[in-house]
Amino acid sequence: MAPGLLDLVHLTTWAVCAVIKLPQLVAVLKARSAWGLSVGSLLLELAGFLVFLRYQIYYGYPLETYLEYPIIIAQDVILLFCIMHFSGKAKRALFYAVLFWAGWYMLTLKKWIIDVAMNLCTFISAASKLVQLQHLWQAKDSGQASALTWSMSAYTCATRIITTVMTTNDLAVLIRFIIMLILNIWVTATILHYRKTKKTD
């Protein structure tokens, strides 16, 4: 793949990630409700993103391959606070902030910790998607879940498969993106299914 094309893939990934959580945030704020969204799913997603970002930084991977993660993490934190606020659980936010900060520090105390965490990161991130799917299946309603946000997540996973193959060729990272792509598509399809079902009722 030509370097120009690789740069274009990076740029489109960053552009999508700059606004990836905005449709979800708008839906939650507009409805003043977090119905259809799982706090557990978002906490697991945030944990997975933090581990992944820390891993990329620790191994000195090119900034272009993970530049979007601080932006996504910031959006996730805002979304998490909004969901907790509308769910009446805002007081727990400080506890989670301290927990994530401590985890961020502990990840690089030893090399084996970050390596094990990265391998677990795929399971954590997959679990976040499966928890959201379970939440949707139980509610049989997509509520405020944004199909646009989930489809943008699928797009960024697809682009990161390409950039990983072209830059670091890290197998753990590649497997993570392939699994996340499949699960993001599944969540998107489930949201659209329940949205269609709701409209036809």
Side-chain angles (χ1 to χ4, degrees), residues 42-118:
L42 195 55
L43 288 169
L44 287 168
E45 179 180 70
L46 188 55
F49 286 163
L50 288 169
V51 168
F52 186 76
L53 176 62
R54 193 67 161 158
Y55 178 86
Q56 297 280 322
I57 292 168
Y58 182 83
Y59 280 104
Y61 284 158
L63 182 62
E64 301 86 32
T65 63
Y66 64 88
L67 184 62
E68 69 272 16
Y69 279 86
I71 298 164
I72 297 171
I73 290 168
Q75 291 177 58
D76 259 358
V77 168
I78 294 166
L79 179 59
L80 181 62
F81 183 77
C82 289
I83 291 171
M84 294 178 98
H85 172 73
F86 292 124
S87 301
K89 300 175 184 175
K91 291 181 182 178
R92 293 184 189 174
L94 180 60
F95 167 75
Y96 290 125
V98 170
L99 187 67
F100 283 125
W101 178 83
W104 176 264
Y105 171 75
M106 291 174 54
L107 282 170
T108 55
L109 289 176
K110 300 274 185 189
K111 181 185 179 302
W112 68 266
I113 295 173
I114 192 69
D115 290 337
V116 169
M118 180 57 196

Side-chain angles (χ1 to χ4, degrees), residues 124-143:
I124 292 167
S125 295
S128 78
K129 313 304 183 213
L130 293 172
V131 167
Q132 182 61 45
L133 280 166
Q134 180 185 24
H135 188 79
L136 291 167
W137 294 332
Q138 286 176 341
K140 295 192 184 328
D141 183 359
S142 59

